[in-house]
mmCIF file of all heavy atoms in Angstrom:
data_model
loop_
_atom_site.group_PDB
_atom_site.id
_atom_site.type_symbol
_atom_site.label_atom_id
_atom_site.label_comp_id
_atom_site.label_asym_id
_atom_site.label_seq_id
_atom_site.Cartn_x
_atom_site.Cartn_y
_atom_site.Cartn_z
ATOM 1 N N ALA W 98 5.278 30.361 15.570
ATOM 2 C CA ALA W 98 6.139 31.477 15.986
ATOM 3 C C ALA W 98 5.348 32.434 16.786
ATOM 4 O O ALA W 98 4.838 33.503 16.441
ATOM 5 C CB ALA W 98 6.621 32.195 14.702
ATOM 6 N N ASP W 99 5.006 31.961 18.020
ATOM 7 C CA ASP W 99 4.285 32.816 18.959
ATOM 8 C C ASP W 99 5.050 33.943 19.677
ATOM 9 O O ASP W 99 6.363 34.095 19.241
ATOM 10 C CB ASP W 99 3.552 31.884 20.040
ATOM 11 C CG ASP W 99 4.595 31.248 20.909
ATOM 12 O OD1 ASP W 99 5.824 31.418 20.684
ATOM 13 O OD2 ASP W 99 4.141 30.520 21.829
ATOM 14 N N ASP W 100 4.542 34.648 20.517
ATOM 15 C CA ASP W 100 5.245 35.780 21.178
ATOM 16 C C ASP W 100 6.417 35.348 21.902
ATOM 17 O O ASP W 100 7.511 36.010 21.813
ATOM 18 C CB ASP W 100 4.308 36.431 22.251
ATOM 19 C CG ASP W 100 3.221 37.262 21.487
ATOM 20 O OD1 ASP W 100 3.320 37.561 20.339
ATOM 21 O OD2 ASP W 100 2.118 37.651 22.183
ATOM 22 N N SER W 101 6.449 34.177 22.445
ATOM 23 C CA SER W 101 7.609 33.669 23.289
ATOM 24 C C SER W 101 8.792 33.490 22.362
ATOM 25 O O SER W 101 9.896 33.920 22.672
ATOM 26 C CB SER W 101 7.317 32.392 24.001
ATOM 27 O OG SER W 101 6.289 32.608 25.030
ATOM 28 N N LEU W 102 8.618 32.772 21.236
ATOM 29 C CA LEU W 102 9.675 32.515 20.289
ATOM 30 C C LEU W 102 10.200 33.848 19.647
ATOM 31 O O LEU W 102 11.369 34.094 19.656
ATOM 32 C CB LEU W 102 9.275 31.628 19.249
ATOM 33 C CG LEU W 102 10.267 31.282 18.113
ATOM 34 C CD1 LEU W 102 11.507 30.631 18.763
ATOM 35 C CD2 LEU W 102 9.684 30.386 17.056
ATOM 36 N N ARG W 103 9.247 34.649 19.290
ATOM 37 C CA ARG W 103 9.682 35.899 18.515
ATOM 38 C C ARG W 103 10.410 36.863 19.483
ATOM 39 O O ARG W 103 11.345 37.475 19.149
ATOM 40 C CB ARG W 103 8.447 36.620 17.939
ATOM 41 C CG ARG W 103 8.010 35.772 16.733
ATOM 42 C CD ARG W 103 6.858 36.541 15.851
ATOM 43 N NE ARG W 103 5.603 36.458 16.556
ATOM 44 C CZ ARG W 103 4.974 37.440 17.219
ATOM 45 N NH1 ARG W 103 5.656 38.672 17.192
ATOM 46 N NH2 ARG W 103 3.848 37.403 17.794
ATOM 47 N N THR W 104 9.936 36.908 20.764
ATOM 48 C CA THR W 104 10.681 37.711 21.760
ATOM 49 C C THR W 104 11.977 37.196 22.055
ATOM 50 O O THR W 104 12.977 37.895 22.215
ATOM 51 C CB THR W 104 9.781 37.779 23.053
ATOM 52 O OG1 THR W 104 8.498 38.357 22.742
ATOM 53 C CG2 THR W 104 10.522 38.643 24.081
ATOM 54 N N TYR W 105 12.176 35.853 22.211
ATOM 55 C CA TYR W 105 13.482 35.188 22.473
ATOM 56 C C TYR W 105 14.414 35.576 21.319
ATOM 57 O O TYR W 105 15.651 35.930 21.540
ATOM 58 C CB TYR W 105 13.295 33.778 22.557
ATOM 59 C CG TYR W 105 14.439 32.954 22.876
ATOM 60 C CD1 TYR W 105 14.705 32.712 24.245
ATOM 61 C CD2 TYR W 105 15.362 32.469 21.940
ATOM 62 C CE1 TYR W 105 15.919 32.019 24.586
ATOM 63 C CE2 TYR W 105 16.425 31.814 22.316
ATOM 64 C CZ TYR W 105 16.725 31.495 23.630
ATOM 65 O OH TYR W 105 17.874 30.798 23.982
ATOM 66 N N ILE W 106 14.071 35.483 20.049
ATOM 67 C CA ILE W 106 14.908 35.771 19.005
ATOM 68 C C ILE W 106 15.139 37.315 18.859
ATOM 69 O O ILE W 106 16.316 37.701 18.602
ATOM 70 C CB ILE W 106 14.333 35.310 17.641
ATOM 71 C CG1 ILE W 106 14.144 33.757 17.669
ATOM 72 C CG2 ILE W 106 15.108 35.690 16.493
ATOM 73 C CD1 ILE W 106 15.452 33.002 17.823
ATOM 74 N N ARG W 107 14.138 38.152 19.117
ATOM 75 C CA ARG W 107 14.274 39.601 19.051
ATOM 76 C C ARG W 107 15.427 39.993 20.075
ATOM 77 O O ARG W 107 16.036 41.035 19.808
ATOM 78 C CB ARG W 107 12.965 40.239 19.231
ATOM 79 C CG ARG W 107 13.027 41.823 19.117
ATOM 80 C CD ARG W 107 11.648 42.357 19.022
ATOM 81 N NE ARG W 107 10.944 42.164 20.252
ATOM 82 C CZ ARG W 107 9.823 41.360 20.327
ATOM 83 N NH1 ARG W 107 9.439 40.810 19.323
ATOM 84 N NH2 ARG W 107 9.244 41.267 21.484
ATOM 85 N N LYS W 108 15.395 39.434 21.282
ATOM 86 C CA LYS W 108 16.345 39.767 22.294
ATOM 87 C C LYS W 108 17.686 39.263 22.034
ATOM 88 O O LYS W 108 18.692 39.677 22.816
ATOM 89 C CB LYS W 108 15.816 39.347 23.670
ATOM 90 C CG LYS W 108 14.610 40.229 24.065
ATOM 91 C CD LYS W 108 14.119 39.643 25.534
ATOM 92 C CE LYS W 108 12.992 40.553 26.010
ATOM 93 N NZ LYS W 108 12.506 40.120 27.395
ATOM 94 N N SER W 109 17.953 38.406 21.148
ATOM 95 C CA SER W 109 19.197 37.769 20.825
ATOM 96 C C SER W 109 20.029 38.687 20.119
ATOM 97 O O SER W 109 19.649 39.654 19.352
ATOM 98 C CB SER W 109 19.133 36.429 20.204
ATOM 99 O OG SER W 109 18.618 36.581 18.888
ATOM 100 N N LYS W 110 21.419 38.528 20.024
ATOM 101 C CA LYS W 110 22.290 39.289 19.286
ATOM 102 C C LYS W 110 22.943 38.367 18.268
ATOM 103 O O LYS W 110 23.109 37.058 18.543
ATOM 104 C CB LYS W 110 23.278 40.004 20.161
ATOM 105 C CG LYS W 110 22.717 40.984 21.087
ATOM 106 C CD LYS W 110 23.759 41.664 21.993
ATOM 107 C CE LYS W 110 23.205 42.604 22.970
ATOM 108 N NZ LYS W 110 24.134 43.143 23.920
ATOM 109 N N LEU W 111 23.376 38.917 17.190
ATOM 110 C CA LEU W 111 24.195 38.024 16.187
ATOM 111 C C LEU W 111 25.256 37.266 16.776
ATOM 112 O O LEU W 111 25.396 36.062 16.464
ATOM 113 C CB LEU W 111 24.649 38.909 15.006
ATOM 114 C CG LEU W 111 25.274 38.142 13.869
ATOM 115 C CD1 LEU W 111 24.217 37.319 13.165
ATOM 116 C CD2 LEU W 111 25.805 39.176 12.869
ATOM 117 N N GLU W 112 26.048 37.849 17.685
ATOM 118 C CA GLU W 112 27.199 37.147 18.310
ATOM 119 C C GLU W 112 26.702 36.027 19.321
ATOM 120 O O GLU W 112 27.535 35.257 19.645
ATOM 121 C CB GLU W 112 28.091 38.198 19.032
ATOM 122 C CG GLU W 112 27.384 39.004 19.994
ATOM 123 C CD GLU W 112 26.959 40.393 19.451
ATOM 124 O OE1 GLU W 112 26.684 40.418 18.253
ATOM 125 O OE2 GLU W 112 26.921 41.360 20.246
ATOM 126 N N ASP W 113 25.389 35.899 19.617
ATOM 127 C CA ASP W 113 24.847 34.942 20.390
ATOM 128 C C ASP W 113 24.816 33.582 19.651
ATOM 129 O O ASP W 113 24.663 32.587 20.299
ATOM 130 C CB ASP W 113 23.611 35.260 21.025
ATOM 131 C CG ASP W 113 23.704 36.412 22.004
ATOM 132 O OD1 ASP W 113 24.741 36.695 22.645
ATOM 133 O OD2 ASP W 113 22.631 37.197 22.174
ATOM 134 N N TRP W 114 24.777 33.653 18.406
ATOM 135 C CA TRP W 114 24.627 32.431 17.558
ATOM 136 C C TRP W 114 25.905 31.778 17.501
ATOM 137 O O TRP W 114 26.934 32.248 17.234
ATOM 138 C CB TRP W 114 24.212 32.736 16.134
ATOM 139 C CG TRP W 114 22.778 33.267 16.094
ATOM 140 C CD1 TRP W 114 22.267 34.501 16.413
ATOM 141 C CD2 TRP W 114 21.565 32.482 15.686
ATOM 142 N NE1 TRP W 114 20.890 34.553 16.273
ATOM 143 C CE2 TRP W 114 20.470 33.371 15.842
ATOM 144 C CE3 TRP W 114 21.355 31.226 15.349
ATOM 145 C CZ2 TRP W 114 19.118 32.960 15.559
ATOM 146 C CZ3 TRP W 114 20.152 30.733 14.959
ATOM 147 C CH2 TRP W 114 19.010 31.689 15.061
ATOM 148 N N GLU W 115 25.861 30.422 17.865
ATOM 149 C CA GLU W 115 27.081 29.548 17.970
ATOM 150 C C GLU W 115 27.003 28.454 16.876
ATOM 151 O O GLU W 115 25.884 27.973 16.703
ATOM 152 C CB GLU W 115 27.287 29.072 19.302
ATOM 153 C CG GLU W 115 27.487 30.158 20.408
ATOM 154 C CD GLU W 115 27.763 29.388 21.743
ATOM 155 O OE1 GLU W 115 28.878 28.887 21.971
ATOM 156 O OE2 GLU W 115 26.791 29.403 22.582
ATOM 157 N N SER W 116 28.140 27.977 16.444
ATOM 158 C CA SER W 116 28.237 26.913 15.549
ATOM 159 C C SER W 116 28.259 25.567 16.442
ATOM 160 O O SER W 116 29.049 25.515 17.440
ATOM 161 C CB SER W 116 29.431 26.969 14.624
ATOM 162 O OG SER W 116 29.623 25.730 13.983
ATOM 163 N N TYR W 117 27.551 24.584 16.022
ATOM 164 C CA TYR W 117 27.634 23.184 16.768
ATOM 165 C C TYR W 117 28.035 22.273 15.691
ATOM 166 O O TYR W 117 27.266 21.303 15.313
ATOM 167 C CB TYR W 117 26.252 22.905 17.300
ATOM 168 C CG TYR W 117 25.903 23.837 18.495
ATOM 169 C CD1 TYR W 117 25.437 25.172 18.280
ATOM 170 C CD2 TYR W 117 26.221 23.432 19.891
ATOM 171 C CE1 TYR W 117 25.141 25.926 19.388
ATOM 172 C CE2 TYR W 117 25.947 24.328 20.885
ATOM 173 C CZ TYR W 117 25.468 25.621 20.600
ATOM 174 O OH TYR W 117 25.148 26.437 21.666
ATOM 175 N N GLY W 118 29.068 22.583 15.062
ATOM 176 C CA GLY W 118 29.709 21.558 14.071
ATOM 177 C C GLY W 118 28.689 21.343 12.935
ATOM 178 O O GLY W 118 28.073 22.253 12.406
#
Side-chain angles (χ1 to χ4, degrees):
D99 64 357
D100 288 342
S101 294
L102 178 60
R103 289 188 284 106
T104 299
Y105 186 88
I106 297 298
R107 185 169 60 249
K108 290 183 176 180
S109 69
K110 299 177 182 179
L111 185 61
E112 53 266 29
D113 295 334
W114 288 79
E115 297 183 77
S116 170
Y117 293 82

